[in-house]
Amino acid sequence: MIALLLRDLKLAFRAGGGFGLGLAFFLIVTVLVPFSVGPQSSLLATIAPGVLWLGALLACLLSLDRLLALDWEDGSLDLLATAPLPLEAVVTIKALAHWITTGLPLVLAAPVLGVLLNLPLPGFSWLVISLLTGTPALSVIGTFGAALTVGLKRGGLLLSLLVLPLNVPTLIFGAEVARRGAVGMETSTPLLLLAGITAATVALLPFASAAVLRVNLR
Amino acid sequence: MTLSVSDLSITRGGVPVLQGVRFALAPGQALVLRGPNGIGKTTLLRTIAGLQPPSAGQIDGAEDRIAYAGHSDGIKPTLTVRENLTFWASVFGAGGIGDALRAFDLDDLAERHAGNLSAGQKRRLGLSRLLVTGRPVWVLDEPTVSLDVAAVAMFADAVRGHLRQGGSALIATHIDLGLDAETLDLAMFRATPRPVDDFDGDFL
Amino acid sequence: MSFATKANALWEYANPKKFLTTSERVQPYIWSAAILCLVVGLIWGFFLTPDDYRQGSTVKIIYLHVPSALMAINVWLMMLVTSLVWLVRRHHVSALAARAAAPIGVVMTMIALATGAIWGQPMWGTWWAWDPRLTSFLILFLFYLGYIALWEAIDNPDTAADLTSVLCLVGSVFAILSRYAVNFWNQGLHQGASIMRAAAVTGADTEEKVSNVFFYPLLLCIIGFVLLFVALLLYRTGTEIRARRIRALLARERVGA
């Protein structure tokens, strides 16, 4: 299992692996926001938590269409499916690798972009905490979408259409934690709900992902 | 342990292609599958490898004992030959990769990125993966595609070595590998189509 | 007949041929009943009930809004059940029924959203509010779109049936989650409407008799929508079965049988 994780990380960091693409996208989206809504710092401060969460969510979508499709094209998935490693573990590792290469950098970059959007000071820690809690769910849900669309020639757009509605609960609770934190309100309720969603998706969704992957491998 | 297949029926895209397939493959034995294009060789091999369920029949002695090599080699172009092979060795929890590199004459290419290999060299890397799996039953789908004469001999040697160690091999191929192997012609198992008015829930 | 044999008899309709002959025999009756219920219910509701003392005649859109909203959710539930049947028992008719239902569900959701907007404009002074109920329907709409898009995208019908069934299952869980999340996110303007409290919807909950004036035509419209859905579903499932049959025959021809 560790071998698969290390291989995926190595592939992501090597040339053409796409590491940093999500991060750059996150940066650009954040920079474009003031151009579209105006530079008033009070307005930016109000919308900053939501914009940063939405930006992170969209950035998480970027590399999903390569997550399983590359292994599908070169036959690695066939071989992994016959290896002594359950497919549930394979998709979990894939999601973990996606989180380490996409989700985690976004979490770390978010405070810097918060400065650009004039995020109120108490909001920084809550933004990081909420993203840290919520982005694993985004990766696991994204892996499910990738498993559904793995056999399709141009699955990228369909993948977004399938994954985005599934991300709604995570986005609502995550952005709520960040928003409440930024204005100094109680955050424990949405944070617990967010953590609950993440825990449940990480525990259960890999079974669905493995099931659809098996169907696609037939 | 013998790999035995009995009364196996398989479908491709919902259409039955083979039915009543039966054979046994004992340790140390090799079996060559023949048949015209489209008869269902690939589908049969994928079914035996456990990648798709048969529509009827039984496969015994396949679980966790099969090393499958299909049309694609599962090679990552940005990893070196050594890294590719080491990865598969550790996934299957088997031993070192030295023997595998030597068997397919890949020693000199070991530090090359797999993306820079020729088609034949890639195929050799893909086949060398079989040696690091430690699995007793090799299921091979057209293994000699893009191999030159020397490489085919290399491959035949590898199969012979595998058989000597008590392994077995099921190979779909059109060329003569010079192996001491039995041949099974799949044409005799071609599925007879069901009558057109057989309009039940199974075959719409 | 005992319950078990009745339940077994139900599975006979999983045979496409049996399904087609039976559904074609009952379809005319269902179509007529649906049209009758809708015509009577809508005329009764639109012209023969009094205006609401607070909402005026705008309240009458309820006869389209509530039935379509109910159907929007129940069609998805029906898809969930048939998807499960397909996954467990592998009856093709079940999977094809789910496929046939989805576009009807989308249209029902669209009707519910559109009539809601038309009703909301005079009532709340806005076409659209990010009210939990409205938002949930919008999310449901997106789920329907994804489900249909996945069916359309996959070539192999069995693969498509498997994948969409799992999507329907996972989507149902996430739709419920979204419903709670949206509730948490915004407590809205919408009345706690349900058919049991139709009286509250019409602002006449104190006078039981007045509410009945609205309730019976509404009930008729709901029955009409259900029957309309069943008729459309049988018709569309029949089409899907025939399309599958043609596909299978063409595939046999290619194989050379």
Side-chain angles (χ1 to χ4, degrees), chain C residues 9-55:
Chain C
L10 184 68
W11 295 119
E12 279 181 22
Y13 298 98
N15 179 307
K17 216 172 190 172
K18 171 95 175 151
F19 177 89
L20 279 181
T21 46
T22 313
S23 78
E24 260 151 37
R25 218 172 39 236
V26 298
Q27 260 188 63
Y29 303 105
I30 298 177
W31 278 110
S32 328
I35 290 166
L36 188 74
C37 282
L38 282 177
V39 169
V40 172
L42 287 178
I43 290 177
W44 185 356
F46 282 160
F47 301 111
L48 304 176
T49 55
D51 287 355
D52 185 72
Y53 73 98
R54 218 150 34 85
Q55 308 194 22

Short mmCIF file of all heavy atoms in Angstrom, two decimals, chain C residues 9-55:
data_model
loop_
_atom_site.label_atom_id
_atom_site.label_comp_id
_atom_site.label_asym_id
_atom_site.label_seq_id
_atom_site.Cartn_x
_atom_site.Cartn_y
_atom_site.Cartn_z
N ALA C 9 -45.14 -13.42 -7.85
CA ALA C 9 -45.84 -13.11 -9.08
C ALA C 9 -45.41 -11.75 -9.63
O ALA C 9 -45.36 -11.54 -10.83
CB ALA C 9 -47.34 -13.13 -8.85
N LEU C 10 -45.04 -10.84 -8.72
CA LEU C 10 -44.61 -9.50 -9.13
C LEU C 10 -43.37 -9.60 -10.02
O LEU C 10 -43.23 -8.85 -10.98
CB LEU C 10 -44.30 -8.68 -7.87
CG LEU C 10 -43.92 -7.23 -8.10
CD1 LEU C 10 -45.11 -6.46 -8.64
CD2 LEU C 10 -43.43 -6.59 -6.81
N TRP C 11 -42.48 -10.57 -9.71
CA TRP C 11 -41.23 -10.66 -10.46
C TRP C 11 -41.47 -11.12 -11.90
O TRP C 11 -40.58 -11.01 -12.73
CB TRP C 11 -40.25 -11.60 -9.76
CG TRP C 11 -39.80 -11.08 -8.43
CD1 TRP C 11 -39.98 -11.67 -7.22
CD2 TRP C 11 -39.11 -9.86 -8.16
NE1 TRP C 11 -39.45 -10.90 -6.22
CE2 TRP C 11 -38.92 -9.78 -6.77
CE3 TRP C 11 -38.63 -8.82 -8.97
CZ2 TRP C 11 -38.28 -8.71 -6.16
CZ3 TRP C 11 -38.00 -7.75 -8.34
CH2 TRP C 11 -37.83 -7.70 -6.96
N GLU C 12 -42.64 -11.69 -12.18
CA GLU C 12 -42.91 -12.09 -13.55
C GLU C 12 -42.79 -10.90 -14.50
O GLU C 12 -42.41 -11.05 -15.65
CB GLU C 12 -44.33 -12.65 -13.67
CG GLU C 12 -44.44 -14.08 -13.24
CD GLU C 12 -45.86 -14.58 -13.40
OE1 GLU C 12 -46.60 -13.97 -14.19
OE2 GLU C 12 -46.21 -15.54 -12.72
N TYR C 13 -43.13 -9.72 -13.95
CA TYR C 13 -43.10 -8.54 -14.82
C TYR C 13 -41.68 -8.08 -15.09
O TYR C 13 -41.46 -7.15 -15.85
CB TYR C 13 -43.94 -7.42 -14.20
CG TYR C 13 -45.38 -7.83 -14.09
CD1 TYR C 13 -45.89 -8.32 -12.89
CD2 TYR C 13 -46.19 -7.80 -15.20
CE1 TYR C 13 -47.20 -8.75 -12.81
CE2 TYR C 13 -47.49 -8.24 -15.13
CZ TYR C 13 -47.99 -8.72 -13.93
OH TYR C 13 -49.27 -9.16 -13.86
N ALA C 14 -40.70 -8.74 -14.44
CA ALA C 14 -39.31 -8.46 -14.77
C ALA C 14 -38.98 -9.03 -16.14
O ALA C 14 -37.99 -8.66 -16.74
CB ALA C 14 -38.39 -9.05 -13.72
N ASN C 15 -39.80 -9.93 -16.65
CA ASN C 15 -39.61 -10.42 -18.02
C ASN C 15 -40.12 -9.35 -18.98
O ASN C 15 -41.28 -8.95 -18.93
CB ASN C 15 -40.39 -11.71 -18.21
CG ASN C 15 -40.24 -12.23 -19.62
OD1 ASN C 15 -40.48 -11.51 -20.58
ND2 ASN C 15 -39.82 -13.47 -19.74
N PRO C 16 -39.23 -8.86 -19.88
CA PRO C 16 -39.60 -7.74 -20.74
C PRO C 16 -40.88 -7.99 -21.55
O PRO C 16 -41.70 -7.09 -21.70
CB PRO C 16 -38.40 -7.58 -21.66
CG PRO C 16 -37.29 -8.27 -21.00
CD PRO C 16 -37.86 -9.33 -20.13
N LYS C 17 -41.01 -9.24 -22.03
CA LYS C 17 -42.15 -9.54 -22.89
C LYS C 17 -43.45 -9.41 -22.08
O LYS C 17 -44.41 -8.77 -22.51
CB LYS C 17 -42.02 -10.97 -23.41
CG LYS C 17 -42.50 -11.16 -24.82
CD LYS C 17 -42.11 -12.57 -25.26
CE LYS C 17 -42.32 -12.77 -26.74
NZ LYS C 17 -41.77 -14.06 -27.16
N LYS C 18 -43.43 -10.03 -20.92
CA LYS C 18 -44.59 -9.99 -20.02
C LYS C 18 -44.90 -8.54 -19.63
O LYS C 18 -46.04 -8.10 -19.63
CB LYS C 18 -44.28 -10.84 -18.78
CG LYS C 18 -45.28 -10.74 -17.68
CD LYS C 18 -46.30 -11.85 -17.76
CE LYS C 18 -47.22 -11.79 -16.56
NZ LYS C 18 -48.54 -12.29 -16.83
N PHE C 19 -43.81 -7.80 -19.34
CA PHE C 19 -43.98 -6.40 -18.95
C PHE C 19 -44.65 -5.61 -20.07
O PHE C 19 -45.60 -4.86 -19.85
CB PHE C 19 -42.62 -5.79 -18.61
CG PHE C 19 -42.70 -4.32 -18.28
CD1 PHE C 19 -42.92 -3.90 -16.98
CD2 PHE C 19 -42.56 -3.36 -19.28
CE1 PHE C 19 -43.01 -2.55 -16.68
CE2 PHE C 19 -42.65 -2.02 -18.98
CZ PHE C 19 -42.88 -1.62 -17.68
N LEU C 20 -44.15 -5.83 -21.31
CA LEU C 20 -44.68 -5.06 -22.44
C LEU C 20 -46.16 -5.35 -22.67
O LEU C 20 -46.97 -4.43 -22.81
CB LEU C 20 -43.88 -5.37 -23.71
CG LEU C 20 -42.56 -4.63 -23.86
CD1 LEU C 20 -41.89 -5.02 -25.17
CD2 LEU C 20 -42.76 -3.14 -23.80
N THR C 21 -46.51 -6.65 -22.70
CA THR C 21 -47.91 -6.97 -23.00
C THR C 21 -48.83 -6.42 -21.91
O THR C 21 -49.86 -5.81 -22.21
CB THR C 21 -48.11 -8.49 -23.13
OG1 THR C 21 -47.44 -9.12 -22.05
CG2 THR C 21 -47.56 -9.02 -24.43
N THR C 22 -48.43 -6.63 -20.63
CA THR C 22 -49.29 -6.17 -19.55
C THR C 22 -49.38 -4.65 -19.53
O THR C 22 -50.48 -4.08 -19.42
CB THR C 22 -48.77 -6.67 -18.20
OG1 THR C 22 -48.46 -8.04 -18.32
CG2 THR C 22 -49.79 -6.46 -17.11
N SER C 23 -48.23 -3.98 -19.66
CA SER C 23 -48.26 -2.52 -19.54
C SER C 23 -49.05 -1.92 -20.70
O SER C 23 -49.74 -0.91 -20.54
CB SER C 23 -46.84 -1.95 -19.50
OG SER C 23 -46.29 -1.92 -20.79
N GLU C 24 -48.98 -2.58 -21.88
CA GLU C 24 -49.74 -2.02 -23.00
C GLU C 24 -51.24 -2.21 -22.80
O GLU C 24 -52.05 -1.42 -23.28
CB GLU C 24 -49.28 -2.63 -24.31
CG GLU C 24 -48.33 -1.70 -25.04
CD GLU C 24 -47.34 -2.42 -25.90
OE1 GLU C 24 -47.70 -3.45 -26.49
OE2 GLU C 24 -46.19 -1.95 -25.97
N ARG C 25 -51.60 -3.28 -22.09
CA ARG C 25 -53.02 -3.50 -21.85
C ARG C 25 -53.58 -2.47 -20.86
O ARG C 25 -54.68 -1.97 -21.04
CB ARG C 25 -53.25 -4.92 -21.31
CG ARG C 25 -54.52 -5.53 -21.88
CD ARG C 25 -54.72 -6.98 -21.56
NE ARG C 25 -54.33 -7.37 -20.24
CZ ARG C 25 -53.44 -8.34 -19.98
NH1 ARG C 25 -52.86 -8.98 -20.96
NH2 ARG C 25 -53.14 -8.66 -18.74
N VAL C 26 -52.79 -2.13 -19.81
CA VAL C 26 -53.34 -1.24 -18.78
C VAL C 26 -53.13 0.24 -19.11
O VAL C 26 -53.80 1.10 -18.55
CB VAL C 26 -52.75 -1.54 -17.39
CG1 VAL C 26 -53.09 -2.94 -16.96
CG2 VAL C 26 -51.25 -1.31 -17.38
N GLN C 27 -52.21 0.52 -20.06
CA GLN C 27 -51.88 1.93 -20.30
C GLN C 27 -53.08 2.81 -20.67
O GLN C 27 -53.21 3.91 -20.11
CB GLN C 27 -50.80 2.04 -21.36
CG GLN C 27 -49.43 2.26 -20.76
CD GLN C 27 -48.40 2.56 -21.81
OE1 GLN C 27 -48.48 3.56 -22.50
NE2 GLN C 27 -47.43 1.69 -21.94
N PRO C 28 -53.97 2.38 -21.57
CA PRO C 28 -55.09 3.26 -21.92
C PRO C 28 -55.90 3.69 -20.70
O PRO C 28 -56.29 4.85 -20.59
CB PRO C 28 -55.93 2.39 -22.86
CG PRO C 28 -55.01 1.36 -23.38
CD PRO C 28 -53.97 1.14 -22.35
N TYR C 29 -56.12 2.73 -19.78
CA TYR C 29 -56.91 3.07 -18.59
C TYR C 29 -56.18 4.09 -17.74
O TYR C 29 -56.79 5.05 -17.23
CB TYR C 29 -57.18 1.80 -17.76
CG TYR C 29 -57.90 0.73 -18.56
CD1 TYR C 29 -57.23 -0.39 -19.02
CD2 TYR C 29 -59.25 0.89 -18.87
CE1 TYR C 29 -57.87 -1.35 -19.77
CE2 TYR C 29 -59.91 -0.08 -19.62
CZ TYR C 29 -59.21 -1.20 -20.06
OH TYR C 29 -59.85 -2.15 -20.81
N ILE C 30 -54.87 3.89 -17.58
CA ILE C 30 -54.12 4.82 -16.72
C ILE C 30 -54.09 6.20 -17.34
O ILE C 30 -54.28 7.22 -16.67
CB ILE C 30 -52.70 4.28 -16.48
CG1 ILE C 30 -52.79 2.94 -15.75
CG2 ILE C 30 -51.90 5.26 -15.65
CD1 ILE C 30 -51.46 2.28 -15.52
N TRP C 31 -53.85 6.25 -18.67
CA TRP C 31 -53.86 7.55 -19.36
C TRP C 31 -55.20 8.24 -19.14
O TRP C 31 -55.24 9.43 -18.77
CB TRP C 31 -53.63 7.38 -20.86
CG TRP C 31 -52.19 7.23 -21.25
CD1 TRP C 31 -51.60 6.11 -21.73
CD2 TRP C 31 -51.17 8.24 -21.22
NE1 TRP C 31 -50.27 6.35 -21.99
CE2 TRP C 31 -49.98 7.64 -21.69
CE3 TRP C 31 -51.15 9.58 -20.84
CZ2 TRP C 31 -48.78 8.34 -21.79
CZ3 TRP C 31 -49.95 10.27 -20.94
CH2 TRP C 31 -48.80 9.65 -21.41
N SER C 32 -56.31 7.51 -19.36
CA SER C 32 -57.63 8.15 -19.23
C SER C 32 -57.86 8.63 -17.81
O SER C 32 -58.32 9.76 -17.59
CB SER C 32 -58.75 7.17 -19.60
OG SER C 32 -58.31 6.28 -20.57
N ALA C 33 -57.51 7.78 -16.83
CA ALA C 33 -57.72 8.17 -15.44
C ALA C 33 -56.90 9.40 -15.10
O ALA C 33 -57.39 10.33 -14.43
CB ALA C 33 -57.36 7.01 -14.50
N ALA C 34 -55.65 9.45 -15.59
CA ALA C 34 -54.78 10.59 -15.30
C ALA C 34 -55.38 11.87 -15.87
O ALA C 34 -55.47 12.90 -15.19
CB ALA C 34 -53.38 10.34 -15.88
N ILE C 35 -55.80 11.79 -17.13
CA ILE C 35 -56.34 12.99 -17.78
C ILE C 35 -57.62 13.44 -17.08
O ILE C 35 -57.81 14.63 -16.81
CB ILE C 35 -56.57 12.72 -19.28
CG1 ILE C 35 -55.21 12.58 -19.97
CG2 ILE C 35 -57.38 13.84 -19.92
CD1 ILE C 35 -55.27 12.00 -21.36
N LEU C 36 -58.46 12.46 -16.74
CA LEU C 36 -59.71 12.79 -16.05
C LEU C 36 -59.43 13.50 -14.72
O LEU C 36 -59.97 14.58 -14.45
CB LEU C 36 -60.50 11.50 -15.80
CG LEU C 36 -61.91 11.70 -15.28
CD1 LEU C 36 -62.82 12.22 -16.38
CD2 LEU C 36 -62.46 10.39 -14.71
N CYS C 37 -58.55 12.91 -13.92
CA CYS C 37 -58.22 13.49 -12.61
C CYS C 37 -57.67 14.90 -12.78
O CYS C 37 -58.06 15.83 -12.06
CB CYS C 37 -57.18 12.65 -11.89
SG CYS C 37 -57.85 11.19 -11.13
N LEU C 38 -56.76 15.08 -13.74
CA LEU C 38 -56.12 16.38 -13.90
C LEU C 38 -57.12 17.42 -14.38
O LEU C 38 -57.15 18.54 -13.87
CB LEU C 38 -54.94 16.27 -14.87
CG LEU C 38 -53.68 15.65 -14.26
CD1 LEU C 38 -52.59 15.52 -15.32
CD2 LEU C 38 -53.18 16.50 -13.10
N VAL C 39 -57.94 17.05 -15.38
CA VAL C 39 -58.91 18.01 -15.92
C VAL C 39 -59.89 18.43 -14.83
O VAL C 39 -60.08 19.63 -14.57
CB VAL C 39 -59.64 17.41 -17.14
CG1 VAL C 39 -60.83 18.28 -17.52
CG2 VAL C 39 -58.68 17.28 -18.32
N VAL C 40 -60.46 17.43 -14.15
CA VAL C 40 -61.44 17.75 -13.11
C VAL C 40 -60.78 18.53 -11.98
O VAL C 40 -61.26 19.58 -11.55
CB VAL C 40 -62.09 16.45 -12.56
CG1 VAL C 40 -62.96 16.77 -11.36
CG2 VAL C 40 -62.89 15.78 -13.65
N GLY C 41 -59.62 18.04 -11.52
CA GLY C 41 -58.93 18.67 -10.40
C GLY C 41 -58.56 20.11 -10.70
O GLY C 41 -58.76 21.01 -9.88
N LEU C 42 -58.00 20.35 -11.90
CA LEU C 42 -57.53 21.69 -12.23
C LEU C 42 -58.70 22.65 -12.44
O LEU C 42 -58.67 23.79 -11.97
CB LEU C 42 -56.64 21.65 -13.48
CG LEU C 42 -55.25 21.03 -13.24
CD1 LEU C 42 -54.45 20.98 -14.54
CD2 LEU C 42 -54.48 21.80 -12.18
N ILE C 43 -59.77 22.19 -13.14
CA ILE C 43 -60.93 23.08 -13.34
C ILE C 43 -61.58 23.40 -12.00
O ILE C 43 -61.85 24.57 -11.68
CB ILE C 43 -61.93 22.42 -14.30
CG1 ILE C 43 -61.33 22.39 -15.72
CG2 ILE C 43 -63.25 23.19 -14.31
CD1 ILE C 43 -62.21 21.70 -16.74
N TRP C 44 -61.76 22.34 -11.20
CA TRP C 44 -62.31 22.54 -9.86
C TRP C 44 -61.45 23.54 -9.08
O TRP C 44 -61.91 24.52 -8.51
CB TRP C 44 -62.36 21.17 -9.15
CG TRP C 44 -63.01 21.16 -7.80
CD1 TRP C 44 -63.49 22.22 -7.09
CD2 TRP C 44 -63.26 20.00 -6.99
NE1 TRP C 44 -64.01 21.81 -5.90
CE2 TRP C 44 -63.88 20.44 -5.82
CE3 TRP C 44 -63.01 18.62 -7.17
CZ2 TRP C 44 -64.25 19.56 -4.80
CZ3 TRP C 44 -63.38 17.75 -6.17
CH2 TRP C 44 -64.00 18.22 -4.99
N GLY C 45 -60.15 23.28 -9.08
CA GLY C 45 -59.25 24.12 -8.30
C GLY C 45 -59.18 25.55 -8.80
O GLY C 45 -59.25 26.51 -8.03
N PHE C 46 -59.08 25.72 -10.13
CA PHE C 46 -58.88 27.06 -10.67
C PHE C 46 -60.16 27.90 -10.63
O PHE C 46 -60.11 29.10 -10.35
CB PHE C 46 -58.37 26.98 -12.11
CG PHE C 46 -56.90 26.67 -12.20
CD1 PHE C 46 -56.35 26.15 -13.37
CD2 PHE C 46 -56.06 26.90 -11.12
CE1 PHE C 46 -55.00 25.87 -13.45
CE2 PHE C 46 -54.71 26.62 -11.19
CZ PHE C 46 -54.19 26.09 -12.35
N PHE C 47 -61.30 27.25 -10.94
CA PHE C 47 -62.49 28.07 -11.16
C PHE C 47 -63.55 27.92 -10.08
O PHE C 47 -64.40 28.79 -9.92
CB PHE C 47 -63.10 27.73 -12.52
CG PHE C 47 -62.13 27.97 -13.65
CD1 PHE C 47 -61.60 26.91 -14.36
CD2 PHE C 47 -61.72 29.26 -13.96
CE1 PHE C 47 -60.68 27.12 -15.38
CE2 PHE C 47 -60.80 29.48 -14.98
CZ PHE C 47 -60.28 28.41 -15.69
N LEU C 48 -63.53 26.83 -9.35
CA LEU C 48 -64.65 26.56 -8.45
C LEU C 48 -64.29 26.69 -6.98
O LEU C 48 -65.07 26.34 -6.11
CB LEU C 48 -65.23 25.15 -8.72
CG LEU C 48 -65.65 24.93 -10.19
CD1 LEU C 48 -66.12 23.51 -10.40
CD2 LEU C 48 -66.75 25.92 -10.59
N THR C 49 -63.06 27.15 -6.67
CA THR C 49 -62.73 27.40 -5.27
C THR C 49 -62.60 28.90 -5.07
O THR C 49 -62.25 29.63 -5.99
CB THR C 49 -61.40 26.73 -4.88
OG1 THR C 49 -60.39 27.19 -5.78
CG2 THR C 49 -61.51 25.22 -4.98
N PRO C 50 -62.87 29.35 -3.84
CA PRO C 50 -62.77 30.79 -3.57
C PRO C 50 -61.31 31.24 -3.53
O PRO C 50 -60.42 30.41 -3.30
CB PRO C 50 -63.42 30.93 -2.20
CG PRO C 50 -63.24 29.60 -1.56
CD PRO C 50 -63.32 28.60 -2.67
N ASP C 51 -61.05 32.54 -3.75
CA ASP C 51 -59.71 33.09 -3.59
C ASP C 51 -59.36 33.09 -2.11
O ASP C 51 -60.24 33.21 -1.26
CB ASP C 51 -59.66 34.54 -4.11
CG ASP C 51 -59.69 34.56 -5.63
OD1 ASP C 51 -59.66 33.46 -6.23
OD2 ASP C 51 -59.77 35.66 -6.19
N ASP C 52 -58.08 32.95 -1.83
CA ASP C 52 -57.63 33.01 -0.45
C ASP C 52 -57.72 34.45 0.02
O ASP C 52 -57.41 35.38 -0.73
CB ASP C 52 -56.19 32.50 -0.37
CG ASP C 52 -55.73 32.43 1.07
OD1 ASP C 52 -56.19 31.54 1.78
OD2 ASP C 52 -54.92 33.29 1.46
N TYR C 53 -58.10 34.65 1.30
CA TYR C 53 -58.34 36.03 1.73
C TYR C 53 -57.03 36.82 1.81
O TYR C 53 -57.03 38.03 1.73
CB TYR C 53 -59.10 36.08 3.06
CG TYR C 53 -58.29 35.70 4.27
CD1 TYR C 53 -57.72 36.71 5.07
CD2 TYR C 53 -58.08 34.39 4.62
CE1 TYR C 53 -56.98 36.38 6.18
CE2 TYR C 53 -57.34 34.05 5.71
CZ TYR C 53 -56.78 35.05 6.51
OH TYR C 53 -56.03 34.72 7.60
N ARG C 54 -55.90 36.12 1.98
CA ARG C 54 -54.63 36.83 2.07
C ARG C 54 -53.86 36.78 0.74
O ARG C 54 -53.29 37.78 0.30
CB ARG C 54 -53.77 36.23 3.18
CG ARG C 54 -52.99 37.26 3.96
CD ARG C 54 -52.74 36.84 5.42
NE ARG C 54 -52.55 35.40 5.59
CZ ARG C 54 -51.37 34.78 5.43
NH1 ARG C 54 -50.30 35.47 5.09
NH2 ARG C 54 -51.29 33.48 5.62
N GLN C 55 -53.85 35.62 0.10
CA GLN C 55 -53.00 35.45 -1.07
C GLN C 55 -53.75 35.71 -2.38
O GLN C 55 -53.14 35.71 -3.44
CB GLN C 55 -52.42 34.04 -1.11
CG GLN C 55 -51.74 33.68 0.19
CD GLN C 55 -50.88 32.43 0.07
OE1 GLN C 55 -50.49 32.06 -1.02
NE2 GLN C 55 -50.61 31.79 1.18
#
